[in-house]
Amino acid sequence: MRWIISRLHLKATLSDIQWEKIKADNDGHIYTIPQFAQKDGTVDASTSYGGEAFWIQKRVLKWANYPEINTVEQYFDLINKYLAENPDTDGQKNIGFEILSDDWRYFCLENPPQFLAGYPNDGAAIVDPDTMEAKVYDKIPEAKEYYKILSEQFEKGTIDPETFTAKYDQYIAKLSSGRVLGMIDQGWNFQSAKDSLVSQGKDELTWAPLDLTLDENVQPQYREGGVLSTQGGIGITTSCKDVDGVLQMWDDMVSEKGMILRNWGEKGVDYEVDDDGMFYRTDEQWANWKDTDYVQKNSVAFGYMPGYRGYLPDGKNTILPSEQISEFRKTLSDIDKEVLDAYKVDNWTQMVRLQDPIQPWFPIYTERNKWTSSDPAGIASQNMQEVKMQWLPKVIMGGPAAYEQNWEDYMTAYDSQIDYKAFEDTLTKEVKRRVEIEKELEAKVDK
């Protein structure tokens, strides 16, 4: 910690209590520094949405005159109506819905029930905010209802028949073709497909995010607030010959000058400053930064180096040009402006409701990083993954007629092969520990 304290810019990327949380979760030491920091209390300036959502092509929304879509049922109803009247794109058959299931990315298949039930992305389980008890979301009623809907859509042909066998590259290739009307995914996971379509001038074939539930009375919590990961980040090896030099480099990178250079570029070349001190880009400068060749030759954002989001120290200019209020709209295509205007929002982030105030344990999935293959919870977690990867495609592809029996067989396998009680108990213990630590750290920092 003394190394970080001596680097004021680096220290300022997090609040005092956030540094204390990292120490409390790592034997009283700081071994790594989070690269994607957001200090407590800072304003979320993001304009693009990179989290989980049910995504739908903008052309589909336009075709339907921008309807209100709140439930999974409404979502698939729209997709099926569009498919019926628009079966092809550029001579190729349209695909109604994709579910990426390849390797660790199978979260697209297994984690929607937590969102559909109105919980945020704790990832490993849902947590009751009153009892602080963690429960697996695989057995909740919303899970059974959701996968039954998918079984119906699979039988109709709305879901890609290759969705459970496609590798990630194949998935991206299908999205990049512009034929996929919708999918459930994290926004960052298909950025390359979006970029490909935008570079071809096919913005109407890109997607807008929707935070769906099964019941319209349930408040969704898809969009995560600024969260701190106390596990992982960037560190320095014990063999490093110049620790002080590395830390000084990082400190320079998160200084005001460093953050401007990394994200805005060079004044007079990549951006301008008006009489009020507000940064902006000319049309020519924006054109440059839409050119992948120009970006590759002139930009090194050091995305995995320490940094932070929100606003520069001047309090009025955003870290990212695309998040500057006056500049964001300049980056939009006509269809983008039309979609945002139709839903009366200023940016894509506002399409998705922000989760309720972040609880001290959020996100609880980071606890799994500590488990080993010999821990009961770790064994349960591995078995859980294997059972879900085996059975969820089966219950979906089996169709509605066999659904009840397939679900029963799935639950039988789940109960017999997974010690999910050990999984839940370990997470519940960690939830309560984090709550107590939060209280202790708040008292410590307040002194």
Side-chain angles (χ1 to χ4, degrees), residues 258-277:
M259 293 300 285
I260 291 172
L261 188 61
R262 290 166 65 179
N263 296 287
W264 282 89
E266 185 180 352
K267 181 180 177 181
V269 177
D270 301 301
Y271 74 98
E272 309 295 336
V273 182
D274 68 17
D275 294 339
D276 295 322

Side-chain angles (χ1 to χ4, degrees), residues 26 82 104 164 166 195 216 294 347 355 359 393 396 414 446:
N26 293 277
Y82 184 87
W104 61 270
F164 300 119
D195 291 343
E216 287 195 83
Y294 182 90
N347 57 56
Q355 73 179 93
Q359 301 287 1
I396 293 170
Y414 195 99
D446 286 342

Side-chain angles (χ1 to χ4, degrees), residues 358-412:
I358 299 172
Q359 301 287 1
W361 60 79
F362 184 84
I364 197 60
Y365 65 74
T366 57
E367 169 64 9
R368 292 185 301 185
N369 297 336
K370 301 177 184 177
W371 298 346
T372 69
S373 57
S374 61
D375 296 323
I379 296 171
S381 182
Q382 180 60 39
N383 291 341
M384 191 180 297
Q385 176 177 329
E386 292 173 358
V387 169
K388 286 194 281 191
M389 291 184 77
Q390 175 186 0
W391 277 95
L392 287 177
K394 283 185 180 181
V395 300
I396 293 170
M397 292 188 294
Y403 184 78
E404 289 298 327
Q405 184 61 55
N406 286 335
W407 185 264
E408 183 178 334
D409 292 343
Y410 167 41
M411 288 293 99
T412 298

Side-chain angles (χ1 to χ4, degrees), residues 327-380:
E327 296 300 290
F328 172 65
R329 202 159 176 94
K330 293 181 182 179
T331 68
L332 300 177
S333 65
D334 290 341
I335 186 65
D336 288 341
K337 295 174 184 176
E338 190 174 324
V339 172
L340 293 175
D341 290 346
Y343 289 103
K344 296 179 172 59
V345 293
D346 295 324
N347 57 56
W348 302 115
T349 296
Q350 293 174 7
M351 293 280 291
V352 183
R353 182 179 177 273
L354 179 66
Q355 73 179 93
D356 291 334
I358 299 172
Q359 301 287 1
W361 60 79
F362 184 84
I364 197 60
Y365 65 74
T366 57
E367 169 64 9
R368 292 185 301 185
N369 297 336
K370 301 177 184 177
W371 298 346
T372 69
S373 57
S374 61
D375 296 323
I379 296 171

Side-chain angles (χ1 to χ4, degrees), residues 18-30:
Q18 285 175 315
W19 286 118
E20 291 296 332
K21 285 182 180 180
I22 293 173
K23 291 169 64 179
D25 213 18
N26 293 277
D27 306 320
H29 297 87
I30 296 175

Side-chain angles (χ1 to χ4, degrees), residues 245-263:
V246 171
L247 286 167
Q248 186 60 56
M249 178 188 72
W250 288 348
D251 195 66
D252 292 339
M253 293 180 77
V254 296
S255 68
E256 183 172 20
K257 180 180 179 181
M259 293 300 285
I260 291 172
L261 188 61
R262 290 166 65 179
N263 296 287

Side-chain angles (χ1 to χ4, degrees), residues 87-350:
D88 304 303
T89 295
D90 297 331
Q92 291 185 297
K93 185 178 179 181
N94 283 330
I95 298 170
F97 191 70
E98 286 284 1
I99 312 170
L100 179 60
S101 308
D102 184 23
D103 199 26
W104 61 270
R105 291 184 173 92
Y106 94 115
F107 62 78
C108 300
L109 171 65
E110 65 85 26
N111 77 10
Q114 65 181 333
F115 295 107
L116 297 172
Y119 289 89
N121 189 22
D122 263 308
I126 55 176
V127 181
D128 187 313
D130 297 319
T131 65
M132 292 184 289
E133 292 185 349
K135 296 292 183 182
V136 294
Y137 47 73
D138 307 311
K139 297 171 69 67
I140 62 176
E142 289 84 355
K144 183 178 180 181
E145 184 178 351
Y146 173 62
Y147 294 115
K148 183 177 182 179
I149 292 173
L150 293 187
S151 74
E152 294 167 352
Q153 297 302 320
F154 191 89
E155 185 172 70
K156 287 181 180 179
T158 306
I159 297 175
D160 182 4
E162 298 176 339
T163 199
F164 300 119
T165 57
K167 296 297 183 182
Y168 178 66
D169 288 348
Q170 295 171 304
Y171 168 78
I172 291 298
K174 289 185 178 184
L175 265 59
S176 300
S177 73
R179 298 186 295 131
V180 178
L181 307 185
M183 64 279 186
I184 172 78
D185 202 349
Q186 295 269 344
W188 52 262
N189 201 30
F190 60 89
Q191 184 66 42
S192 61
K194 174 187 173 183
D195 291 343
S196 174
L197 291 167
V198 171
S199 69
Q200 299 173 60
K202 298 180 178 180
D203 297 77
E204 75 282 0
L205 302 185
T206 61
W207 306 265
L210 300 172
D211 51 354
L212 307 180
T213 58
L214 294 169
D215 181 347
E216 287 195 83
N217 295 316
V218 173
Q219 289 274 25
Q221 296 191 73
Y222 283 67
R223 178 157 62 100
E224 297 180 21
V227 297
L228 173 70
S229 175
T230 60
Q231 300 290 315
I234 189 166
I236 302 174
T237 65
T238 56
S239 61
C240 178
K241 297 180 179 179
D242 188 7
V243 173
D244 191 66
V246 171
L247 286 167
Q248 186 60 56
M249 178 188 72
W250 288 348
D251 195 66
D252 292 339
M253 293 180 77
V254 296
S255 68
E256 183 172 20
K257 180 180 179 181
M259 293 300 285
I260 291 172
L261 188 61
R262 290 166 65 179
N263 296 287
W264 282 89
E266 185 180 352
K267 181 180 177 181
V269 177
D270 301 301
Y271 74 98
E272 309 295 336
V273 182
D274 68 17
D275 294 339
D276 295 322
M278 298 299 297
F279 295 0
Y280 69 95
R281 279 178 173 166
T282 65
D283 291 343
E284 181 181 356
Q285 288 166 343
W286 272 118
N288 287 337
W289 287 96
K290 287 184 177 180
D291 183 336
T292 55
D293 290 336
Y294 182 90
V295 172
Q296 289 177 357
K297 292 177 181 177
N298 295 276
S299 173
V300 182
F302 298 103
Y304 284 87
M305 292 293 181
Y308 58 94
R309 296 290 298 273
Y311 287 82
L312 290 165
D314 64 15
K316 57 185 180 182
N317 287 297
T318 56
I319 297 296
L320 301 179
S322 61
E323 295 180 352
Q324 191 85 318
I325 294 174
S326 60
E327 296 300 290
F328 172 65
R329 202 159 176 94
K330 293 181 182 179
T331 68
L332 300 177
S333 65
D334 290 341
I335 186 65
D336 288 341
K337 295 174 184 176
E338 190 174 324
V339 172
L340 293 175
D341 290 346
Y343 289 103
K344 296 179 172 59
V345 293
D346 295 324
N347 57 56
W348 302 115
T349 296
Q350 293 174 7

